Amino acid sequence: MATPATALPRTQAGAGGRHYQRFDLLDRVMHGLLMVTFIGCALTGLPLMVADHAWAQSFSRMLGGFQSAMLIHRICAAVMIVVFVGHVARVFLDTARSGKWLEMVWGPNSMVPNLKDVQDIAGHVRWFLGKGERPRFDRYTYWEKFDYWAVFWGMFIIGGSGLLLWFPFFFAQFLPGWVFNIAMLVHGEEALLAVGFIFTIHFFNGHVRPEKFPMDPVIFTGRISEHEMLDERGAEYDRLVAQGRLAAVEAPPPSPGLRALAYAIGIPAVVLGTVTIALIVYSFLF
Amino acid sequence: MPAPSVRALLLVLLLTAAGCAAAQGAAKEEAAAGPNDGCLMCHADPSAKSAAGKAIAVDAKKFAASVHGAMSLPCTTCHADVQEGVFPHGEVKAAQCASCHEQAVKDYAGTAHGKARSGGRDVAASCADCHGAHDIAKRDDPASRVHRANLESTCASCHGNEALIQRANLPGGNVASRYHDSIHGQAIANRTSAQGAAPTCTSCHGAHDLRGKDDPASKVARANIPSTCATCHMNAKAEWEKSQHGRIAQSAAGAAPGCIDCHTAHDIAQHTDPKFKLAVTDRCGTCHADFADTYRDTFHGQVTQLGYAQIATCASCHGAHQVLPKENPLSRVSDQNRLATCQACHPKANANFVSYDPHANRHVREQGQLLFFTGKFMDFLLLGVFSVFGLHTVLWFVRSLRAMRERRGTPRH
């Protein structure tokens, strides 16, 4: 039963309406940790990349000097690596428990891109250009999958090069010096890509675009309203109805306290990220 | 009648003695007033003014305390154009120092000040500007304007006077204030017995041999600076002479940094001063621009740019006065010595660690194919991702706004 999202009466879709569980507690905690450590690494690393700017010099002093910035950077990096490894371990352990290995790579809940994602990209662009209906997305959209794999790529590139630079004496036992030159280059460039991407594209896609402005609290509350489910994830909704599993994921609406907490965490993060982008743009222009 | 005659004789004797004493006293008083009584009749009045309205007062006490006053020189020794007994006299020319200090005045004519003055720049210092006039003192007298403790402020009356510096376009700008904050100036200002030997202005520039830096005979001419500094810093000069910089400076090519190119002239600081350590990378960069740029790409360079001097700058690796090219086995960065140089800060460094290129340039292919292409790949990746998603975002944003407007138009219930 494909109900066009726009036909749904809005009154039914308010904060108190029907909700479905989208992210469990561990997902949300991991995203929270990833977010905090990512911002921590960005803010302590960026001053080095634009060290000739007065703001970087004052900000570095505010952080307590380069040694304390380095300490914060490494603590954040270590926690981030633990979260990353923990996530990967969790995916494999969950799959091992359920035995559904094929679904891990080839199901609607898989992060692996598939044919529908290609069709969705084309359909979404057609919609952008006013030449068709908006695609009905499933549980994970193509841009969410890109974000997800970008983190994987970034973890290997930035995390790997970062470990090299953190423990140079250990790695120099079996790696030549030029590897550190490469590590230094890619650590900074890839970090710029990651920071630039998360604080602009991810923020737009996930939070600040007109439908969600100023932010989408789902990653903190874990629950998505029926209205938004139909609007943004119609294919998932239809699938859950067809499988008779919709009722199983229904959840009470997030309490006002939880919603307030979501905004209390999310808004400062969006603001901090936007300020960071402004500083990067300023530093590369002037 | 011996009695009256004796009495008379005694009286005569007494009167004679008293008269002599009186006469002697009078003569003494005349000598103390000196030969300048006549002049001071007018010039001792503190409010005295010439016909032209110029203050003409002379502090007799100060003059008496001066080296010339102690010698009881009459005013006309210096003011030789004033005719005695004729007053009021007309306009008086500048004091004639040369009548006694012939050599000093001759030497002065060759100084930067003397040349400027003879060239018509009246702002240039002449004898009295440095030595004072009626209060003139010997230079080893702490009251002297040219005593080493007072020279800075004497020179600063022009070279530290912003208005005058601007108006007369004095060379070097406010060198006095910069010197004052320098390690030399501070040593003099807070002098201890050991630091009392620190150089003041004339130590480097000379006094009656003070010449502009473009004059080859100047103590501060480029070629002469190392010798001038070596008056005190003998070892530094000896090390520098053996360095690449020193060798080139002494060769025909000549264009190599000497002392002030790294240390500056008037802002000179202790080499351990963080300000100096941080500034020196820029100074090395005035010639070695590529190396300064690539240094700034490294962690060392980033941290020093942020303002922390605890980390390696140019001299930490290359040495200072003994800097040599890496092909020279004696160089601190030669293949033979590099490990030991890095180990000074990184005791756990090994051969692989020190084969890291601290001046790698990712934009120059010849300096390393892998780094060059990795850099190009990263550029392409960043450009690609931001172009594709930038466009995606802009299109989405515009479409979303339209969708929201359309939706707002639909009736609700």
Side-chain angles (χ1 to χ4, degrees), chain A residues 181 184, chain B residues 288-302 305 318 356-364 367 371:
Chain A
N181 282 105
M184 186 74 192
Chain B
H288 304 284
D290 291 354
F291 289 94
D293 280 349
T294 51
Y295 165 76
R296 290 185 191 110
D297 287 342
T298 67
F299 185 69
H300 290 155
Q302 291 172 337
Q305 277 185 97
H318 293 279
Y356 166 80
D357 182 352
H359 289 288
N361 188 341
R362 55 168 283 204
H363 302 292
V364 178
Q367 291 198 8
L371 188 71

Side-chain angles (χ1 to χ4, degrees), chain A residues 6 10-11 47-48 51-52 56-57 60-61 65-67 70 124 127-128 130 134 142-143 146 153 168-169 172-173 175-178 180-182 184-186 189-190 193 196-197 201 204-205 209-211 231, chain B residues 297-299 302-303 305-308 310-311 346 348-350 352-353 355-358 360 362 370-371 374-375 377-379 381-382 385-386 389-390 392-393 395-397 399-404 407 412-413:
Chain A
T6 43
R10 271 226 139 195
T11 42
L48 288 174
D52 53 331
Q57 293 153 12
S60 165
R61 277 194 296 278
F66 80 96
Q67 291 104 329
M70 218 155 84
H124 212 197
W127 177 71
F128 291 163
R134 193 166 181 217
Y142 66 87
W143 68 85
F146 185 91
W153 162 260
F169 308 110
Q173 288 171 15
L175 292 175
W178 58 261
F180 299 98
N181 282 105
I182 303 273
M184 186 74 192
L185 169 72
V186 298
E189 293 289 300
E190 182 65 30
L193 175 59
F197 188 87
I201 313 290
F204 176 84
N205 292 349
R209 67 187 151 99
E211 299 89 341
D231 220 8
Chain B
D297 287 342
T298 67
F299 185 69
Q302 291 172 337
V303 171
Q305 277 185 97
L306 282 179
Y308 306 97
Q310 300 100 308
I311 212 161
H346 306 287
K348 286 193 266 178
N350 66 4
N352 276 346
F353 182 91
S355 71
Y356 166 80
D357 182 352
R362 55 168 283 204
L370 207 60
L371 188 71
T374 307
F377 171 75
M378 294 308 298
D379 289 346
L381 185 67
L382 263 77
V385 169
F386 285 121
F389 277 94
H392 184 267
T393 298
L395 290 175
W396 193 349
F397 182 63
R399 185 65 181 86
S400 282
L401 287 178
R402 215 176 81 200
M404 287 191 83
R407 212 183 279 191
R412 299 170 187 183
H413 52 97

Side-chain angles (χ1 to χ4, degrees), chain B residues 271-345:
Chain B
H271 71 93
T272 50
D273 184 334
K275 266 197 311 212
F276 172 77
K277 279 193 76 180
L278 297 176
V280 88
T281 54
D282 288 338
R283 293 183 195 144
C284 297
T286 52
C287 299
H288 304 284
D290 291 354
F291 289 94
D293 280 349
T294 51
Y295 165 76
R296 290 185 191 110
D297 287 342
T298 67
F299 185 69
H300 290 155
Q302 291 172 337
V303 171
T304 50
Q305 277 185 97
L306 282 179
Y308 306 97
Q310 300 100 308
I311 212 161
T313 64
C314 312
S316 316
C317 304
H318 293 279
H321 299 132
Q322 61 281 62
V323 65
L324 286 167
K326 68 166 189 254
E327 293 74 26
N328 187 319
L330 294 174
S331 165
R332 289 166 56 97
V333 296
S334 68
D335 291 342
Q336 292 90 333
N337 295 335
R338 196 181 310 143
L339 183 58
T341 299
C342 296
Q343 280 175 339
C345 297

Side-chain angles (χ1 to χ4, degrees), chain A residues 107-135:
Chain A
N109 292 337
S110 168
M111 294 308 294
V112 179
N114 54 35
L115 185 63
K116 176 163 167 46
D117 292 312
V118 178
Q119 291 163 345
D120 283 353
I121 293 171
H124 212 197
V125 172
R126 271 199 301 276
W127 177 71
F128 291 163
L129 302 173
K131 289 179 179 156
E133 283 292 303
R134 193 166 181 217

